């Protein structure tokens, strides 16, 4: 991936960004084609008439791309919003709210509500509650972060209580979803979620210039014409839409939103909007590779992508923290 980004300038005078964007789609298409033919520890030319390809592998690949892209885009925006390179989409409590919605519905026997819908409604409701409390308490940036952490911890405690009181069947169903798996992906899941994720992505990218100003501090941002409170609320809402949609499609997958934007930032010195676009690309392909590794590494066991990402996350977090302490990362 890095080789695709670091391209030499051509004699024609076109900027490196032109060759970067020109090369990324073919490389991504080649990677998707290779993964489509991979199954059972073997590879074969993808047969589009094969139900295994059209009904199982293709929806799973599309889900991995959407979820990885959304989490990375949300993470890049939140890191600018909180001026902290270790910020993650889970900080705002959206993931915990989605988990609470799913476990509550499963524990109560369904209530006629699908699991993806319960995840989305739970995440959005918790995010709205956090924004409302922050507005009432006039908490500002620090208040938004602290209220998000507290509400997220409260939701996690309620999830633990519900699981403790549940029977074995409910506990197994909830555990499979909380592990963050893409194995149950279906095309039908996308039609209700992708419009919300698209709106969140457009909104977050539209705030790119304001987020760059916020990195310089609230006072400087105000002097540059940025309405800080409005920008902060819109960015949090955009992150909630992206994260809620991702959690709806896959369950809880951590560390992607924190790792990918920082990895991209190591070889990117442009604006926040450009960083978010690049992180979106790289995040999509990163989660696709992680899910493929979980699917094939210990075949026939299908490891959830959330479990594989959780193993890779802590070492990456410690390395990023070390770089942060040395001043090698920017928010």
């Amino acid at each position: 991936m890095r080789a695709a980004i670091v391209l030499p300038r051509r004699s024609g005078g076109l900027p490196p960004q032109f060759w970067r964007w020109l090369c990324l789609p073919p490389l991504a298409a080649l990677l998707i084609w290779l993964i489509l033919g991979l199954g059972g520890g073997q590879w074969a030319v993808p047969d589009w008439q094969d139900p295994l390809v059209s009904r199982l592998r293709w929806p799973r690949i599309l889900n991995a791309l959407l979820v990885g892209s959304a989490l990375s885009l949300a993470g890049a925006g939140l890191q600018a919003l909180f001026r902290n390179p270790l910020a993650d989409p889970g900080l705002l409590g959206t993931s915990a709210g989605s988990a609470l919605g799913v476990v509550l519905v499963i524990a109560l026997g369904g209530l006629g509500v699908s699991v993806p819908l319960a995840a989305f409604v739970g995440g959005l409701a918790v995010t709205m509650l956090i924004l409302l409390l922050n507005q009432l308490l006039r908490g500002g940036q620090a208040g938004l972060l602290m209220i998000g952490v507290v509400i997220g911890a409260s939701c996690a405690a309620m999830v633990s209580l519900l699981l403790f009181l549940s029977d074995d069947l409910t506990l197994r169903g909830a555990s499979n979803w909380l592990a963050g798996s893409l194995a149950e992906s279906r095309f039908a899941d996308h039609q209700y979620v992708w419009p919300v994720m698209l709106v969140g992505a457009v909104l977050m990218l539209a705030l790119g210039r304001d987020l760059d100003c916020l990195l310089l501090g609230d006072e400087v941002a105000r002097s540059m014409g940025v309405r800080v409170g409005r920008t902060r609320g819109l960015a949090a809402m955009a992150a909630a839409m992206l994260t809620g949609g991702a959690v709806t499609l896959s369950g809880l997958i951590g560390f992607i939103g924190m790792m990918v934007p920082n990895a991209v930032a190591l070889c990117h010195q442009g604006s926040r909007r450009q960083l978010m676009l690049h992180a979106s690309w790289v995040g999509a392909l990163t989660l696709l590779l992680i899910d493929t590794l979980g699917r094939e590494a210990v075949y026939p066991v299908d490891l959830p992508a959330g479990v594989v990402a959780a193993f890779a996350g802590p070492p990456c977090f410690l390395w990023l923290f070390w770089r942060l302490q040395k001043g090698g990362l920017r928010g």
Side-chain angles (χ1 to χ4, degrees):
M1 193 63 223
R2 187 169 182 168
I5 291 177
V6 184
L7 290 174
R9 183 185 291 274
R10 299 298 182 88
S11 58
L14 292 173
Q17 290 83 357
F18 175 82
W19 302 107
R20 186 181 307 162
W21 288 108
L22 189 66
C23 291
L24 275 175
L27 287 176
L30 175 62
L31 178 63
I32 292 170
W33 184 73
L34 289 173
I35 292 177
L36 271 175
L38 190 62
Q42 297 178 338
W43 188 87
V45 176
D47 180 4
W48 298 98
Q49 304 300 322
D50 187 349
L52 190 65
V53 173
S54 60
R55 297 181 182 177
L56 294 180
R57 293 180 191 169
W58 184 236
R60 183 168 182 165
I61 288 173
L62 187 57
N63 260 14
L65 294 172
L66 284 173
V67 172
S69 175
L71 291 177
S72 301
L73 181 54
L78 290 176
Q79 285 161 17
L81 179 65
F82 293 115
R83 296 201 292 273
N84 188 338
L86 301 182
D88 183 86
L91 275 181
L92 281 181
T94 307
S95 299
S98 297
L100 178 59
V102 168
V103 174
L104 188 62
V105 166
I106 293 176
L108 295 178
L111 299 176
V113 178
S114 66
V115 168
L117 181 61
F120 183 72
V121 172
L124 190 60
V126 168
T127 303
M128 295 298 293
L129 174 63
I130 292 170
L131 291 176
L132 179 62
L133 289 175
N134 187 56
Q135 183 71 22
L136 292 175
L137 298 175
R138 300 181 183 278
Q141 180 195 40
L144 184 63
L145 180 61
M146 293 179 65
I147 294 172
V149 170
V150 169
I151 297 295
S154 299
C155 291
M158 293 177 69
V159 168
S160 298
L161 177 62
L162 287 171
L163 292 178
F164 180 77
L165 298 175
S166 300
D167 54 37
D168 290 344
L169 184 61
T170 301
L171 184 63
R172 184 174 180 80
S175 298
N176 286 338
W177 189 86
L178 292 174
S181 175
L182 294 160
E184 302 296 329
S185 300
R186 299 291 183 270
F187 280 127
D189 300 337
H190 301 150
Q191 55 185 331
Y192 303 109
V193 177
W194 77 262
V196 178
M197 298 172 75
L198 179 62
V199 172
V202 171
L203 179 58
M204 186 67 87
L205 291 172
L207 294 170
R209 185 255 178 192
D210 290 350
L211 291 174
D212 274 326
C213 296
L214 283 180
L215 283 171
L216 303 174
D218 289 0
E219 293 303 320
V220 176
R222 288 192 183 93
S223 69
M224 299 174 73
V226 176
R227 298 168 62 183
V228 173
R230 174 178 171 273
T231 300
R232 188 170 288 134
L234 289 176
M237 181 59 67
M241 296 171 81
L242 289 165
T243 307
V247 173
T248 300
L249 291 176
S250 66
L252 301 182
I253 297 179
F255 292 106
I256 294 292
M258 183 268 291
M259 290 189 299
V260 172
N262 283 298
V264 173
L266 292 176
C267 55
H268 173 84
Q269 298 298 326
S271 67
R272 176 60 49 169
R273 183 175 293 135
Q274 291 173 335
L275 174 63
M276 289 192 291
L277 282 170
H278 290 139
S280 179
W281 262 104
V282 177
L285 298 181
T286 298
L287 186 56
L288 179 59
L289 290 174
I290 285 177
D291 182 56
T292 304
L293 178 64
R295 180 164 62 94
E296 295 296 327
V298 288
Y299 181 83
V301 177
D302 191 343
L303 287 177
V307 173
V308 180
F311 276 110
C316 181
F317 178 88
L318 292 175
W319 179 73
L320 291 172
F321 186 75
W322 175 71
R323 290 294 303 267
L324 177 64
Q325 294 297 93
K326 293 184 64 177
L329 289 176
R330 65 193 184 111

